Amino acid sequence: MPLLAARRTVLSAAAAAALLVLTGCSKSDDAKSSASSASAPSADTLEKPTLVVGMELAYPPFEGKDAQGNPAGVSVDFMKDFAKSAGKEIKIE
């Protein structure tokens, strides 16, 4: 009997944990609409002449600083080329 009671306790705890995880992962309609509107760029952002990009410049050779302290690396070069193809100036922060 004690083994059966222990199994029920474990299964009940697992079911409760699964329910909490699944409930925490769902979004309400309000959260979905605010999340989608927050991630969509506005028209004035797309029309600005400068593309502002945030980078952590501490991961050479991808992102770092050159001898003068300017952003340098593979990711920096990629974003410079991307901005050029989009007809934008770039500012890396």
Side-chain angles (χ1 to χ4, degrees):
M1 258 334 208
L3 183 59
L4 186 58
R7 278 190 185 163
R8 278 193 203 141
T9 304
V10 169
L11 289 175
S12 296
L19 181 64
L20 289 173
V21 167
L22 293 174
T23 303
C25 291
S26 67
K27 289 185 178 181
S28 67
D29 289 337
D30 292 339
K32 288 179 185 175
S33 64
S34 65
S36 64
S37 64
S39 63
S42 61
D44 65 325
T45 301
L46 297 174
E47 294 174 6
K48 290 185 177 179
T50 303
L51 178 64
V52 180
V53 178
M55 288 187 182
E56 178 68 37
L57 300 175
Y59 301 101
F62 303 103
E63 301 164 350
K65 294 182 180 179
D66 63 12
Q68 292 78 31
N70 299 318
V74 175
S75 298
V76 174
D77 293 340
F78 175 80
M79 289 310 298
K80 286 180 180 179
D81 289 342
F82 175 78
K84 184 178 178 181
S85 70
K88 309 272 185 190
E89 296 293 318
I90 188 166
K91 178 181 179 186
I92 297 176
E93 295 183 352

